[in-house]
Amino acid sequence: MKKTIHIVAGGPGALIPELSEYQEENIVWIGVDKGVQTIFHAGLQPDLAVGDFDSIKEEELERIERQVPSLRRFKPEKDETDMELAIMWALEMNPPAVKIFGGTGGRLDHFMANALMLGKFKRDHSGINFELIDVQNNLSVHLPGAHEIKRDGEKKFISFIPIFSDVYGLTLQGFKYPLKHHHVPVGSSLCISNELIQETGHFSFEKGILMMIRSKD
């Protein structure tokens, strides 16, 4: 059975949900730099540690070397971020899903890179579900076609944001603000803060890449 990959980065701890709630069978935990410590603190076992570890104390690095089965250490001077290297490793496993924690908050450049990377990887690996998760938001990326969405009583606000190019033919059904075959340009705020009015909704589009963000106040 293929294993889902959970990647934990070193984002602000206050924004990282309780990781133990996401622990189940067939999960591989990857710690990115300080994210390895976050996995340990949650009482979980990292399977892989990735990064340059330039922000890790020596004694913490020694623990990682002792207790993490696989360690991939890179020089700080490199073309890819630690997160991108972790995702690239995860894709070698051909998982059904990649979920990222600790990738929001703090530095905006890191957040933007993480969010847009999901779009790039989704475009190239259409069969894998990618999510960026924190205590307030779930971010996912979708390709053209028809998609179903279930109501979430906690994260009730749903926004759709075109990335890389315009989205064409967007239809929203079961939403407070429906659409039918609509053209949504990049940079448009048209599809911000929508809500489901039914237990199950549907969205579809013909061309482009669509980022969906489910949020709570």
Side-chain angles (χ1 to χ4, degrees), residues 94-119:
N94 193 26
V98 175
K99 297 183 179 183
I100 298 171
F101 308 87
T104 63
R107 287 178 53 173
L108 284 177
D109 55 345
H110 285 178
F111 166 69
M112 289 296 295
N114 292 339
L116 294 176
M117 266 195 294
L118 294 195

Side-chain angles (χ1 to χ4, degrees), residues 130-194:
F130 294 91
E131 282 188 89
L132 185 59
I133 301 169
D134 65 23
V135 295
Q136 193 172 359
N137 310 279
N138 279 54
L139 183 155
S140 56
V141 182
H142 303 271
L143 300 179
H147 308 272
E148 183 178 272
I149 180 173
K150 300 289 186 181
R151 186 200 295 269
D152 184 331
E154 184 180 22
K155 295 174 180 174
K156 67 177 184 177
F157 300 111
I158 305 170
S159 296
F160 296 99
I161 302 173
I163 56 174
F164 306 143
S165 63
D166 294 2
V167 162
Y168 293 88
L170 179 61
T171 295
L172 303 179
Q173 297 174 306
F175 287 82
K176 183 177 181 179
Y177 305 108
L179 287 177
K180 187 173 182 179
H181 302 301
H182 206 85
H183 168 214
V184 186
V186 169
S188 170
S189 63
L190 173 68
C191 297
I192 299 297
S193 293
N194 210 331

Side-chain angles (χ1 to χ4, degrees), residues 13-207:
L15 294 179
I16 299 176
E18 180 54 59
L19 295 180
S20 62
E21 296 179 0
Y22 292 85
Q23 172 65 359
E24 52 191 62
E25 293 185 13
N26 298 310
I27 297 294
V28 173
W29 289 96
I30 301 178
V32 177
D33 207 71
K34 290 189 297 183
V36 184
Q37 300 298 109
T38 303
I39 298 174
F40 278 136
H41 292 158
L44 302 171
Q45 172 60 48
D47 298 288
L48 171 69
V50 176
D52 51 44
F53 301 103
D54 57 349
S55 59
I56 296 286
K57 295 179 181 178
E58 188 62 32
E59 60 269 23
E60 294 172 339
L61 182 57
E62 290 174 358
R63 181 189 181 189
I64 292 171
E65 292 173 337
R66 287 195 314 269
Q67 298 186 18
V68 179
S70 183
L71 172 64
R72 294 194 177 189
R73 191 173 185 182
F74 301 91
K75 295 180 180 180
E77 299 80 15
K78 57 188 182 302
D79 292 334
E80 300 88 0
T81 63
D82 292 338
M83 175 61 74
E84 186 169 7
L85 291 168
I87 297 175
M88 290 168 64
W89 181 91
L91 294 176
E92 294 176 9
M93 304 285 288
N94 193 26
V98 175
K99 297 183 179 183
I100 298 171
F101 308 87
T104 63
R107 287 178 53 173
L108 284 177
D109 55 345
H110 285 178
F111 166 69
M112 289 296 295
N114 292 339
L116 294 176
M117 266 195 294
L118 294 195
K120 179 188 75 170
F121 286 121
K122 181 66 176 181
R123 181 179 57 198
D124 297 337
H125 303 271
S126 60
I128 300 176
N129 294 321
F130 294 91
E131 282 188 89
L132 185 59
I133 301 169
D134 65 23
V135 295
Q136 193 172 359
N137 310 279
N138 279 54
L139 183 155
S140 56
V141 182
H142 303 271
L143 300 179
H147 308 272
E148 183 178 272
I149 180 173
K150 300 289 186 181
R151 186 200 295 269
D152 184 331
E154 184 180 22
K155 295 174 180 174
K156 67 177 184 177
F157 300 111
I158 305 170
S159 296
F160 296 99
I161 302 173
I163 56 174
F164 306 143
S165 63
D166 294 2
V167 162
Y168 293 88
L170 179 61
T171 295
L172 303 179
Q173 297 174 306
F175 287 82
K176 183 177 181 179
Y177 305 108
L179 287 177
K180 187 173 182 179
H181 302 301
H182 206 85
H183 168 214
V184 186
V186 169
S188 170
S189 63
L190 173 68
C191 297
I192 299 297
S193 293
N194 210 331
E195 298 179 44
L196 284 173
I197 56 174
Q198 300 175 1
E199 287 300 315
T200 301
H202 297 84
F203 66 96
S204 62
F205 59 106
E206 300 165 0
K207 183 179 178 181

